[in-house]
Amino acid sequence: MNDVENAPKVAEESLDPSDWSNIQALSHRIIDDSIAYLRDVGRRPVWQEMPQEVRNFFEAPLPRSPAPLAEVYGEVAEKVMPYPMGNIHPRFWSWYMGSGNFTGALADFLAAIQGSNLGGGNHAAALLDGQVVNWCKQMMGLPASASGTLVSGGSIANLIGLTVARNVKAGVDVREAGVAAIDKPLRFYGSDQIHSCHRKAMEALGLGNRALRRIPTDRDLRIEIPALRAAIAEDRAAGFRPACVIATAGTVNTGAIDDLPALARLVAEENLWFHVDGCIGALIAIAPKNAHRVAGIELADSVALDPHKWLHAPFEVGCVLLRDASAHRGAFAVTPEFLESTPRGLASGLWLHEFGLQTTRGFRALKVWMALKEHGVETFGRLIDQNIAQAAFLSDLIENEPLLELVAPTNINIVCFRFRSEGMGSGELKALNLEIMLRLQEQGTAALSDTTVRGEHCLRVAINNHRTRGGDLRLLVRECVRLGRHISGIAVA
Ligand SMILES: *Cc1c(COP(=O)(O)O)cnc(C)c1O
């Protein structure tokens, strides 16, 4: 201790508060404000446009001198917290997101306080990270010998899975020789409903967008197996090297789930890699009433899933699982001298950076771990069933409303519909529905997004939200009808 006390007497600085009791009071206030914020979320607008003054605020230059934290927090409370994306609100159903949870937020705080680097090492956070991966394997029905890693989200989870697929199926040592050394161009296959992150992955992997063949889908927007089989045969005959089938368990447009058992049989016959993009639907495996929909997912070579969607972990956390643990590590392990393991001590744990692209990794596992412990996996399963039942309920409301119509079959928790008006052309109809969507957002009533299914523009409600109630969906239908009538000038009957 003397050494520390005898340290040089020059002015040394740190980022720690000079007065901890002061910071304690402020921190308690921040927690109180946060609890009120979350408790009252449903009473605020889902979303609101920012005034010009708020936009200008974010143009301020780099701060050079200090400001009291209370003042900085005051700015956050005034300029940031009132203008959220809205995805924690009970009537947010845009795109596809989770709605967060308070325990997860506390966990993010604790993770940052402990500050551990999940690049690896011998410490409790690393064991906990591994345990969450093991729990994900159990949820998916993958064997204990499988491998996996937590990443920022589904896009990177897919990228990691597809990287391993490429390396295993390339026929050369891609890591050493690069993609140029592959004798025949690799081909990957997915449906025409595949998520855009796969295109980015193909590009980043050096294979190019064209190496991903989009196979047509059937009436239910699932990949057409005979068309897939024919494409693989055609490619083999043309000198390509078919490598991987990417099944989607829950498409972004309509929630369609490809026929996983049939695809598993096909990839076994063709000796291809079987990747499942389960960012939307993989977790249905824990939902008692709907788990049968994703049966076969346990046959995958790799699965991407997204705890920040249907486990409602605060952003970000995704997960990729790989059946072949050595292929997984073999795709990423590089042990530089400074990261060699030691027999004991801090560096004797597993190096978790050997399972992905990051070196430093955050302690994102804690928010999944704490919420799973608190609620138990069965609660999360029931919430998934609840969202699927709510989508069926909304679809019934729409079918019973003459001014609305479904545009695609409702499969899981995604409903595609539109306001209809006799005699309107498709351009007019699209403009009308867009206007309904924008007014719902601007009123702060509900956030929906839109999409195009088989050439038909529609509004899209994705219920990935543990706060949504039946009354919220009734309100949505009422408002869509009211706005549609108002905008198109249909008199109220
Ligand atoms: C959300 C999603 C992704 C991407 O996941 P992120 O967590 O947003 O990176 C990939 N595929 C599907 C089907 C998705 O729904």
Side-chain angles (χ1 to χ4, degrees), residues 281-297 384-385 388:
L283 284 160
I284 294 175
I286 63 170
K289 294 192 179 135
N290 288 281
H292 62 276
R293 296 173 187 271
V294 292
I297 202 163
I384 291 171
D385 280 338
I388 294 174

Side-chain angles (χ1 to χ4, degrees), residues 153-155 158 195 197 248 250 252 277 279-280 306 308-309:
S155 303
N158 280 306
H195 190 274
C197 73
T248 303
V252 264
D277 177 353
C279 289
I280 287 181
D306 235 353
H308 66 200
K309 287 179 177 170

